[in-house]
Amino acid sequence: GAVVSQHPSWVICKSGTSVKIECRSLDFQATTMFWYRQFPKQSLMLMATSNEGSKATYEQGVEKDKFLINHASLTLSTLTVTSAHPEDSSFYICSASAGTGVEQYFGPGTRLTVT
Amino acid sequence: LAKTTQPISMDSYEGQEVNITCSHNNIATNDYITWYQQFPSQGPRFIIQGYKTKVTNEVASLFIPADRKSSTLSLPRVSLSDTAVYYCLVGGNTGGFKTIFGAGTRLFVKA
């Protein structure tokens, strides 16, 4: 099946710094990528949808200036958490779709801890 | 986007068949139904997808009645390793087919 990777798998950063998370589709071209965040014992919350070469579409309540999303190629999307604060600590998950169907392939997730 | 409703949790024993039902009363004509499994600190894993009637693969079956307002994921002979959260998602190809996760069902399989 299609494989999606994320890097790093976990990261610890100090409050006020920025962190970049990469999401890669390894064996297919992803026309659309999605970013989610998940707090402990809660469901995944969609943050934004990005299509290759265009600006991301953010869900209501998600600050686009704080969570910068770039989808520069058909195999790579990045999420940058700017000026991170402890409340940004969460599990961030990306998914990718080839656009030929409705199936999304999920990455393994990135655990962000802001101290 | 169609909203989904699932039981919050279910318990089962090893070797039993588990059926998890999802309600999606406002499903659209072009929506598919997809089920995912998630273990702690991992991304969701695709289980099965269907549009109508019955779909079966090597790990599960998906039953969808004619009105498509609900669906049932059937896991045959569960094992301890099937303890996870199961999500039912409904979405289509229109507008980039973004999907919204519901609360999911926490399945506990006991020995």
Side-chain angles (χ1 to χ4, degrees), chain A residues 38 43 59 97 102 104 111, chain B residues 38 41 49 97-99 102:
Chain A
Q38 185 176 34
S43 184
E59 294 300 302
S97 172
V102 298
Q104 295 182 43
R111 175 76 58 191
Chain B
Q38 187 184 29
S41 297
Q49 183 182 83
F97 59 94
K98 73 175 185 180
T99 51

Side-chain angles (χ1 to χ4, degrees), chain B residues 25-47:
Chain B
N25 290 318
N26 59 340
I27 187 169
T29 303
N30 63 342
D31 284 344
Y32 282 76
I33 301 157
T34 311
W35 285 79
Y36 290 88
Q37 175 193 55
Q38 187 184 29
F39 297 111
S41 297
Q42 293 186 26
R45 183 177 74 97
F46 172 85
I47 300 174

Side-chain angles (χ1 to χ4, degrees), chain A:
Chain A
V3 180
V4 175
S5 70
Q6 282 185 239
H7 178 80
S9 56
W10 60 271
V11 58
I12 302 173
C13 71
K14 292 183 181 295
S15 185
T17 62
S18 295
V19 174
K20 179 184 287 187
I21 302 170
E22 292 185 350
C23 176
R24 294 182 185 273
S25 56
L26 300 184
D27 50 4
F28 69 100
Q29 293 187 326
T31 54
T32 304
M33 286 185 168
F34 304 86
W35 286 95
Y36 299 82
R37 65 188 298 183
Q38 185 176 34
F39 293 108
K41 297 196 180 300
Q42 292 188 24
S43 184
L44 285 75
M45 184 192 80
L46 180 65
M47 299 175 67
T49 303
S50 73
N51 293 295
E52 185 265 339
S54 60
K55 290 184 178 180
T57 301
Y58 290 81
E59 294 300 302
Q60 189 173 9
V62 178
E63 300 175 58
K64 62 180 182 181
D65 294 330
K66 180 170 183 60
F67 299 99
L68 302 178
I69 293 172
N70 183 280
H71 192 167
S73 77
L74 286 172
T75 59
L76 173 65
S77 176
T78 60
L79 167 67
T80 301
V81 183
T82 62
S83 186
H85 291 284
E87 57 265 30
D88 298 324
S89 297
S90 188
F91 192 52
Y92 291 85
I93 306 170
C94 73
S95 72
S97 172
T100 57
V102 298
E103 188 174 329
Q104 295 182 43
Y105 303 98
F106 286 84
T110 297
R111 175 76 58 191
L112 169 64
T113 302
V114 185
T115 61

